[in-house]
Amino acid sequence: MSLYIQVKDLLLARIAKGDWSPGNIIPSEMNLAHELGVSQGTVRKAITELVENNILTRRQGRGTFVSNHDVHRALFHFFHITDNKGHKVLPDSRVLSCRRQPARRNEAALLELPVATEIIRIERVRSIGAKPTMIETITLAAQDFADLDKKTGIDLPNTLYELYETKYGITIHSADEKLRAIPASKHDAQLLGLPVASPLLEIERVALTLDKTPVELRISRCVTKNHYYHNTCF
Amino acid sequence: MSLYIQVKDLLLARIAKGDWSPGNIIPSEMNLAHELGVSQGTVRKAITELVENNILTRRQGRGTFVSNHDVHRALFHFFHITDNKGHKVLPDSRVLSCRRQPARRNEAALLELPVATEIIRIERVRSIGAKPTMIETITLAAQDFADLDKKTGIDLPNTLYELYETKYGITIHSADEKLRAIPASKHDAQLLGLPVASPLLEIERVALTLDKTPVELRISRCVTKNHYYHNTCF
DNA sequence: AAGTGGTCTAGACCACGTA
DNA sequence: ACGTGGTCTAGACCACTTG
């Protein structure tokens, strides 16, 4: 393996281990180069790849920082619903329930947990401009999110990924989404104020950490009358 | 502007102008460096960014080439339908019609053409394993694709983007997709063998060239009973 | 003024593909 | 054997931020 890949892996390991945490500065390129006995150019190339992966952020004149995966990031990387003009809108959310339960078989499989492991299941309705637009069912491994179910509806923030990072030290880095069209169930239809069997866009998202461990399963069923799921491909 | 950005823009201009065409080799880094009066490292950095944009391809020991946006690329960058196991499948296609018509208002808007410009409209049904799965309506500016409508159904290849590149010199580089769930029309239902109003996944895709000119509008309506639209977000 | 990342150069050696 | 890209080094100057 080339030297800069080894440096990259070493930096990654330190970040994953928590030696350097989100928002904090890492040593300068020169310091790392001296410490590791390589040239600055090699450290630079390793850091460049991590910056391209959104894991580090460079700020000229200041230093290199572990990325903060904040609201902005969550919004831009993981939230793809836009209005008809293509503008992203952050919907409000109302929690319907938040309970501990044994994992169903498919949930356990997607989260790579043993069957019937205890999970936390959150159900909420998300609205755009007072109009109910999405129903979300969120599944988390209970062991990783102690006491999350004890929070009241108001304590559960709109943007959960920020909470995962700040309270539980779990940073969501990528996600895998599967989309399909499904008919609204009676329950869905009632919550969303639609006729039964109206077409809904279902998004099944598995959110992953840096080392590709699945952390959250989120199934969203969306009304796509005034909104789209927007994706740009290169 | 930094030097390597200028070099990058210059290379881009030559590619767009057609001095170097897809599949062909460009001069070596050393030659470009001498020609432009900069160091090899600067040319290298410019080329690196173009490689990251999938515009150039490096082959060690051989040289640097203008990317071929071939079947493989089209499949991996622009085709997101997978089976339930997550494997991509390339569907067959049967052309229903291929006609010249005046552009409708929304088509003209999305393709950035004057209203009522003549367009070519292709309608086809795509099947996976003999099962009709998607209906596609493709709209192209007639002026850019002379005689495309004169091809018979068999002459129209399954993978159109390759045809655009090889026969018309138009390379699709990125695409913008909007997804929503819609009920199947009578026409859709008949072609796909489904009850009327079954939920379908509609994908409205605008395909763009390197300089972001919209070239093709493609509306796909997909049965998502045994297939998903798959997206990975970083 | 000092330290950081951003750019640029020049030169070295390696791994790979072709002739 | 030769030319290509791939990696690595060392050193220079610039632009930006902080103390």
Side-chain angles (χ1 to χ4, degrees):
Chain A
M1 260 313 164
S2 55
L3 196 51
Y4 79 94
I5 295 285
Q6 295 176 42
V7 173
K8 179 181 161 186
D9 289 345
L10 193 149
L11 298 180
L12 253 180
R14 289 200 189 165
I15 296 165
K17 192 146 59 81
D19 289 1
W20 303 317
S21 39
N24 288 358
I25 196 169
I26 71 170
S28 73
E29 295 179 353
M30 281 306 273
N31 285 343
L32 285 169
H34 286 136
E35 183 199 332
L36 305 176
V38 300
S39 78
Q40 188 211 8
T42 300
V43 172
R44 166 162 284 271
K45 188 159 185 187
I47 289 180
T48 297
E49 296 212 345
L50 294 172
V51 168
E52 282 165 359
N53 292 340
N54 275 307
I55 292 164
L56 295 177
T57 305
R58 285 191 173 114
R59 297 186 201 161
Q60 184 171 128
R62 298 183 61 192
T64 303
F65 300 76
V66 181
S67 298
N68 250 323
H69 293 185
D70 56 4
V71 181
H72 185 268
R73 176 179 160 75
L75 197 58
F76 276 76
H77 288 266
F78 300 118
F79 193 76
H80 288 135
I81 302 293
T82 72
D83 62 23
N84 281 338
K85 284 178 226 133
H87 300 305
K88 298 202 182 192
V89 196
L90 189 62
D92 301 328
S93 82
R94 180 168 65 88
V95 175
L96 300 178
S97 66
C98 181
R99 296 201 192 91
R100 282 169 177 267
Q101 294 178 359
R104 295 166 194 155
R105 207 174 54 226
N106 76 317
E107 292 172 336
L110 289 167
L111 291 175
E112 294 175 12
L113 296 171
V115 277
T117 309
E118 189 170 46
I119 52 90
I120 295 170
R121 180 174 296 118
I122 303 169
E123 237 196 305
R124 57 181 188 174
V125 179
R126 308 198 71 175
S127 301
I128 299 176
K131 223 176 158 160
T133 305
M134 310 166 53
I135 299 173
E136 283 185 345
T137 307
I138 297 166
T139 309
L140 301 161
Q143 58 194 7
D144 298 331
F145 296 90
D147 297 334
L148 183 69
D149 58 312
K150 298 215 180 80
K151 289 179 176 287
T152 71
I154 293 173
D155 282 343
L156 269 181
N158 204 334
T159 55
L160 287 174
Y161 289 180
E162 208 185 4
L163 179 73
Y164 300 165
E165 180 165 315
T166 55
K167 299 286 181 217
Y168 301 97
I170 292 175
T171 300
I172 301 300
H173 182 256
S174 64
D176 207 60
E177 298 189 329
K178 293 174 178 175
L179 285 79
R180 55 180 182 174
I182 58 161
S185 70
K186 209 164 167 180
H187 182 239
D188 297 337
Q190 197 163 17
L191 284 169
L192 296 169
L194 293 174
V196 175
S198 301
L200 296 179
L201 179 66
E202 181 182 82
I203 307 170
E204 175 190 298
R205 178 202 289 163
V206 177
L208 311 168
T209 60
L210 193 51
D211 50 9
K212 309 210 171 174
T213 311
V215 165
E216 180 207 62
L217 169 64
R218 181 181 298 207
I219 295 174
S220 307
R221 295 188 292 286
C222 315
V223 183
T224 51
K225 191 159 176 165
N226 296 305
H227 296 85
Y228 290 105
Y229 177 96
H230 192 132
N231 190 24
T232 302
C233 340
F234 295 100
Chain B
M1 261 312 166
S2 57
L3 196 48
Y4 81 92
I5 295 286
Q6 295 175 43
V7 172
K8 178 180 162 186
D9 288 346
L10 192 149
L11 298 179
L12 252 181
R14 289 198 188 165
I15 296 165
K17 193 147 58 81
D19 290 0
W20 303 318
S21 39
N24 288 357
I25 194 167
I26 70 169
S28 73
E29 294 179 354
M30 281 307 272
N31 285 343
L32 286 169
H34 286 135
E35 184 200 332
L36 304 176
V38 301
S39 77
Q40 189 211 9
T42 301
V43 172
R44 165 162 285 269
K45 188 158 185 188
I47 289 180
T48 298
E49 295 213 344
L50 294 172
V51 168
E52 282 166 357
N53 292 338
N54 277 306
I55 291 164
L56 294 177
T57 305
R58 285 192 174 116
R59 298 187 202 161
Q60 185 172 128
R62 298 183 59 191
T64 303
F65 300 75
V66 181
S67 299
N68 252 323
H69 293 185
D70 57 5
V71 181
H72 186 266
R73 176 179 161 73
L75 195 59
F76 277 75
H77 287 266
F78 300 119
F79 193 78
H80 288 134
I81 302 292
T82 73
D83 64 21
N84 280 338
K85 283 177 226 131
H87 301 304
K88 299 203 184 194
V89 196
L90 188 62
D92 302 326
S93 83
R94 179 169 65 88
V95 175
L96 300 177
S97 66
C98 180
R99 298 203 189 88
R100 281 169 177 267
Q101 292 179 0
R104 294 167 194 154
R105 207 173 54 228
N106 77 316
E107 290 171 337
L110 289 168
L111 291 175
E112 294 174 13
L113 297 170
V115 276
T117 309
E118 190 171 45
I119 52 92
I120 295 170
R121 180 175 295 118
I122 303 169
E123 237 196 304
R124 58 181 188 174
V125 178
R126 308 198 71 176
S127 301
I128 299 176
K131 219 171 164 172
T133 305
M134 311 167 54
I135 299 173
E136 284 186 344
T137 306
I138 297 166
T139 309
L140 302 161
Q143 59 194 7
D144 297 332
F145 295 90
D147 298 333
L148 182 69
D149 57 313
K150 298 214 180 80
K151 290 179 176 290
T152 71
I154 294 172
D155 282 343
L156 270 181
N158 203 333
T159 54
L160 287 173
Y161 289 0
E162 207 184 5
L163 178 74
Y164 301 166
E165 179 165 314
T166 56
K167 301 286 182 217
Y168 301 98
I170 292 175
T171 301
I172 301 301
H173 183 256
S174 64
D176 207 60
E177 297 188 329
K178 293 173 178 175
L179 285 80
R180 55 179 181 175
I182 58 160
S185 70
K186 210 164 165 181
H187 182 240
D188 297 336
Q190 198 164 14
L191 285 169
L192 296 171
L194 293 174
V196 174
S198 301
L200 296 179
L201 179 65
E202 182 182 80
I203 307 171
E204 175 191 296
R205 177 202 290 164
V206 177
L208 310 168
T209 61
L210 195 51
D211 50 7
K212 308 211 170 173
T213 311
V215 165
E216 180 208 62
L217 169 63
R218 180 182 298 208
I219 296 175
S220 308
R221 295 189 292 286
C222 315
V223 183
T224 51
K225 190 159 177 165
N226 295 306
H227 297 84
Y228 291 105
Y229 177 98
H230 192 134
N231 190 24
T232 303
C233 338
F234 296 98

